């Protein structure tokens, strides 16, 4: 999930982003809008690939992120999975910055805010999802990620004076959390679900929402392109994990091919390429359409987990996930109309 300096939408994660998550969030937490001149220049260039194809690709990339996290933890410690993800994601955006010859943002104040954003939108949620998937399914992790807009709406009522509650949005909040309880099988006392792993996944989604609120309040109006801001944020997140990881893990004794490729794909595609796809979609079709990708993520994550990892799927999981998505859609019903022309952000 990337910083969303001027984004009114939340990010879309794993990111994982943030709708009003993303970053993500969901809409995974979001990134700053490009300068008007850059946006107009991009508008004059016809896209090589139809936006529907790119939308589908983005949905698949983010939907498969939770499966890749699960595979990565089969060979590496959760912190190492997150560090590798950030390294590969930073490399992709760094290469784009070099090709475009774009400058990184300036000023210690901006970098300080980006450091906090990197922690809230990348380092913390990515790590929490990795730890969570040691004990919960990738399917459940993907559904927990979909609660980001619910947390975002709840926080916006407290932290953002321009986001006042409406009956529809409050109803969406209640419906969404009822969906979470359905997914977890609350009437059975959460039997079969690991409480610690589930809590970590939900806190990761909450972190996306907190990061989005923080970015909206501190980085709005900051100069710099989306790619430069996101690349700087990922770089700072990488440095944060590079300091912490050696303190809590030992150097891997081996580098198994499957987990290594999963981490590389998670970073290069799920964190690097996905941001570029999201930015292009926002610029072409607007944030309202672009952030609909959030609602496909848990569907794809569930299908991938069941088909490729043979994860068990009780009836309450898809039913609860549908209820969560309905609630999330209702919480976004008022803010979406005011975000046209602003960028979305990266996620899971």
């Amino acid at each position: 999930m990337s910083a969303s300096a001027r984004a009114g939408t939340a990010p879309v994660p794993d990111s994982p982003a943030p709708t009003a998550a993303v970053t993500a969030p969901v809409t995974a937490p979001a990134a700053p809008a490009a300068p008007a001149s850059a946006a107009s220049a991009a508008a004059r260039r016809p896209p090589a690939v139809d936006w529907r194809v790119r939308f589908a690709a983005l949905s698949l990339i983010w939907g498969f992120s939770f499966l890749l996290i699960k595979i990565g933890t089969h060979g590496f410690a959760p912190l190492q999975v997150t560090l590798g993800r950030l390294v590969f994601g930073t490399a992709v955006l760094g290469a784009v910055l070099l090709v475009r010859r774009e400058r990184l943002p300036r000023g210690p104040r901006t970098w300080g805010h980006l450091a906090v954003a990197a922690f809230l939108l990348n380092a913390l949620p990515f790590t929490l999802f990795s730890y969570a998937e040691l004990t919960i399914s990738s399917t459940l992790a993907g559904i927990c990620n979909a609660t980001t807009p619910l947390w975002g709406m709840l926080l916006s009522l407290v932290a953002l004076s321009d986001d006042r509650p409406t009956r529809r949005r409050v109803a969406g909040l209640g419906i969404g959390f009822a969906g979470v309880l359905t997914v977890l099988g609350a009437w059975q006392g959460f039997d079969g679900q690991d409480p610690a792993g589930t809590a970590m996944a939900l806190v990761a989604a909450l972190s996306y929402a907190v990061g989005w609120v923080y970015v909206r309040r501190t980085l709005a109006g900051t100069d710099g392109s989306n790619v430069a801001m996101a690349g700087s944020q990922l770089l700072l997140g990488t440095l944060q994990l590079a300091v912490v990881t050696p303190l809590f893990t030992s150097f891997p004794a081996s580098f198994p091919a499957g987990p290594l490729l999963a981490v590389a794909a998670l970073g290069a595609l799920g964190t690097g390429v996905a941001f570029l796809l999201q930015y292009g979609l926002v610029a072409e079709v607007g944030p309202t359409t672009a952030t609909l990708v959030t609602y496909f993520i848990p569907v794809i994550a569930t299908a991938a987990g069941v088909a490729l990892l043979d994860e068990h799927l009780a009836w309450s999981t898809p039913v609860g996930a549908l209820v969560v998505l309905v609630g999330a859609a209702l919480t976004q019903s008022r803010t979406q109309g005011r975000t046209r022309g602003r960028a979305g952000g990266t996620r899971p």
Side-chain angles (χ1 to χ4, degrees):
M1 198 158 291
S2 68
S4 125
R6 275 158 280 185
T9 61
V12 177
D14 263 334
S15 108
T19 67
V22 57
T23 221
V26 241
T27 70
S37 58
S40 60
R44 289 194 296 268
R45 293 193 297 268
V49 181
D50 185 80
W51 73 267
R52 297 171 186 83
V53 176
R54 286 177 284 133
F55 182 94
L58 183 60
S59 300
L60 287 172
I61 289 172
W62 272 334
F64 271 85
S65 291
F66 300 95
L67 178 143
L68 294 175
I69 292 172
K70 174 70 79 173
I71 296 175
T73 57
H74 289 167
F76 304 104
L79 282 170
Q80 293 167 348
V81 171
T82 302
L83 175 59
R85 175 182 187 172
L86 287 171
V87 167
F88 284 106
T90 302
V92 169
L93 293 188
V96 173
L97 288 173
L98 287 176
V99 171
R100 296 183 180 180
R101 297 182 180 180
E102 292 188 20
R103 293 182 178 181
L104 296 179
R106 298 180 179 180
R109 184 181 181 86
T110 297
W111 281 91
H113 289 315
L114 284 173
V116 176
F119 176 75
L120 293 173
L121 299 179
N122 302 117
L124 179 59
F126 289 0
T127 300
L128 286 173
F129 273 122
S130 295
Y131 272 106
E133 291 199 44
L134 292 176
T135 57
I136 68 173
S137 67
S138 63
T139 295
L140 179 56
I143 293 172
C144 288
N145 179 78
T147 65
T148 301
L150 303 179
W151 294 116
M153 183 260 178
L154 185 62
L155 289 172
S156 72
L157 301 182
V158 177
L160 300 175
S161 59
D162 62 332
D163 248 345
R164 302 325 310 164
T166 64
R167 291 182 179 179
R168 184 172 183 175
R169 299 180 74 205
V170 171
L173 186 64
I175 291 171
F177 282 111
V180 173
L181 294 177
T182 302
V183 170
L184 299 180
W187 61 91
Q188 305 176 70
F190 306 110
D191 184 41
Q193 306 290 357
D194 178 68
T198 303
M200 283 189 284
L202 290 172
V203 171
L206 172 61
S207 182
Y208 283 139
V210 173
W212 165 68
V213 172
Y214 177 84
V215 164
R216 181 172 170 182
R217 292 176 68 90
T218 61
L219 288 172
T222 302
D223 292 332
S225 72
N226 293 58
V227 178
M229 295 291 283
S232 302
Q233 179 183 312
L234 288 181
L235 175 61
L236 291 170
T238 302
L239 294 176
Q240 291 169 3
L241 264 296
V243 171
V244 173
T245 301
L247 300 178
F248 296 95
T249 66
S250 57
F251 193 79
S254 63
F255 291 84
L260 181 59
L261 289 174
V263 172
L266 184 63
L269 295 176
T271 308
V273 173
F275 168 77
L276 298 175
L277 288 172
Q278 171 81 349
Y279 169 63
L281 286 171
V282 169
E284 182 175 350
V285 300
T288 300
T289 299
T291 54
L292 290 177
V293 69
T294 300
Y295 304 109
F296 290 88
I297 293 174
V299 176
I300 295 172
T302 298
V306 172
L308 301 178
L309 297 179
D310 198 27
E311 293 178 344
H312 175 68
L313 186 65
W315 69 267
S316 58
T317 301
V319 171
L322 178 61
V323 176
V324 167
L325 294 179
V326 169
L330 288 175
T331 65
Q332 299 306 297
S333 59
R334 191 173 71 88
T335 58
Q336 294 281 2
R338 301 185 316 193
T339 60
R340 181 161 298 280
R342 297 180 177 184
T346 63
R347 232 156 112 121

